Amino acid sequence: TPNSLLAQFDAAYSKVTADRRDVYGAPEDTYRRISAMRAVVDECADPQIREILAMIVTKVARLVQTPNHLDSWVDVAGYSRCGVMLLDDRERAGT
């Protein structure tokens, strides 16, 4: 039925997929960039920091294609703040 959850999902998915390609370019290029940067990030021994860095490189890979996409810049700042929050929490806990 047109109002089923699956139909709603498919409609949203179609819009998001089209929007992402328009903003970020071909997924092949984006994921090639992410993969190359992740190879370096994966050298980080700290698993939590490594995941934060992974999110940042995803946004950086997108910014390579669309440097004027403000949302990605804000996301990089947000993930950076998460990293500092994590380090601050650890410092206060003495770990």
Side-chain angles (χ1 to χ4, degrees):
T1 66
N3 290 327
S4 73
L5 288 177
L6 187 57
Q8 293 174 47
F9 176 88
D10 288 344
Y13 178 79
S14 175
K15 180 176 179 3
V16 167
T17 303
D19 290 348
R20 294 286 190 270
R21 183 177 282 276
D22 291 345
V23 173
Y24 302 123
E28 301 83 18
D29 294 334
T30 300
Y31 287 112
R32 178 185 46 78
R33 290 179 185 121
I34 291 169
S35 178
M37 289 187 283
R38 278 297 302 259
V40 175
V41 167
D42 286 345
E43 295 176 15
C44 179
D46 184 313
Q48 292 172 318
I49 296 296
R50 185 173 54 243
E51 290 308 313
I52 292 168
L53 293 173
M55 295 305 297
I56 291 171
V57 300
T58 298
K59 298 304 177 170
V60 169
R62 289 176 171 180
L63 285 165
V64 168
Q65 177 69 30
T66 313
N68 64 343
H69 194 251
L70 182 59
D71 187 58
S72 292
W73 287 108
V74 172
D75 287 344
V76 167
Y79 289 122
S80 296
R81 190 168 195 286
C82 287
V84 174
M85 288 169 61
L86 175 65
L87 295 173
D88 188 59
D89 287 347
R90 288 178 181 176
E91 185 176 288
R92 285 187 287 120
T95 59

